[in-house]
């Protein structure tokens, strides 16, 4: 990952959220890259490996099996973690379609992470620690009910973990982990089993 540090605004201890958000909105990010706001700086995330994209496609295809028509699955959707003033662009976000439809077409404001039903992050070599720690805590603080972490670089081997029942302290009460090759059931409103054996490398 490449960090773009935004200098402090005169008279402030650090860049305020509004200034960072405006800068984020005005960035000309190279195609395939993502820009996120974390730790008072804007971080550029390079395009993922083909296997990363293949996993995202397999998860999205499976989630659509029983997905209610009121929900949509979105890639590269910016989500604001309001309690921490962070902005992430997850691999997949499941959110009510009506909220997306109601978004102002004239702006690129991020969606509120607390409105997501499920957020999916797939680790890359350069960001695995952030997905396991920072984003885990951020999504729990935001009250995201389900966080699916697909970690190809886990020390135990490639794993898929579903975290549920978020706490305000930045943890999830429950986690269900399986190694690649084993099925991982997802509860309602998805009511589907992820077939991790279908995930590439």
């Amino acid at each position: 990952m490449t960090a773009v540090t935004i200098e402090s605004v005169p008279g402030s201890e650090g860049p305020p959220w509004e200034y960072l958000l405006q800068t984020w909105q005005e960035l000309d990010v190279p195609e395939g890259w993502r820009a996120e706001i974390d730790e008072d700086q804007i971080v550029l995330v390079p395009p993922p490996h083909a296997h990363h994209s293949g996993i995202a496609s397999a998860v999205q295809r499976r989630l659509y099996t029983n997905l209610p028509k009121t929900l949509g699955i979105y890639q590269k959707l910016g989500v604001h973690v309001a309690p921490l003033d962070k902005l992430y662009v997850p691999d997949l976000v499941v959110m009510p379609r009506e909220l997306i439809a109601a978004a102002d077409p004239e702006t690129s404001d991020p969606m509120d992470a607390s409105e997501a039903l499920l957020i999916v992050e797939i680790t890359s070599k350069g960001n695995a620690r952030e997905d396991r720690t920072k984003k885990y805590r951020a999504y729990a603080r935001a009250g995201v009910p389900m966080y699916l972490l697909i970690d190809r670089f886990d020390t135990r081997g490639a794993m898929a973990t579903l975290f549920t029942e978020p706490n305000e302290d930045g943890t999830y009460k429950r986690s269900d982990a399986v190694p690649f090759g084993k099925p991982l059931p997802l509860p309602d409103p998805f009511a589907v089993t992820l077939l991790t054996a279908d995930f590439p490398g």
Side-chain angles (χ1 to χ4, degrees), residues 65-126:
T65 304
N66 298 320
L67 195 71
K69 292 182 179 179
T70 56
L71 300 178
I73 304 172
Y74 304 96
Q75 300 179 22
K76 298 182 181 178
L77 179 68
V79 294
H80 177 208
V81 179
L84 302 174
D85 270 345
K86 295 177 183 286
L87 190 157
Y88 293 131
V89 184
D91 291 297
L92 297 173
V93 181
V94 178
M95 187 167 282
R97 290 181 183 273
E98 64 179 3
L99 295 179
I100 301 298
D104 187 344
E106 301 299 322
T107 70
S108 56
D109 288 345
M111 305 301 293
D112 192 327
S114 67
E115 302 285 0
L117 278 78
L118 170 70
I119 285 181
V120 180
E121 293 284 10
I122 303 162
T123 61
S124 299
K125 280 187 178 179

Side-chain angles (χ1 to χ4, degrees), residues 25-26 36 41 48 62 73 78 92 102 107 114 117 133 139 143 146-147 158 162 178 183-184 187 200:
Q25 290 170 326
E26 295 172 354
E36 301 184 327
Q41 63 184 3
R62 194 68 180 160
I73 304 172
L92 297 173
T107 70
S114 67
L117 278 78
T133 57
Y139 297 145
M146 291 182 236
Y147 173 40
L162 179 66
V178 299
L184 178 62

Side-chain angles (χ1 to χ4, degrees), residues 11-23:
S12 69
E13 294 183 3
W17 166 253
E18 293 78 11
Y19 179 62
L20 285 169
L21 178 60
Q22 181 180 351
T23 304

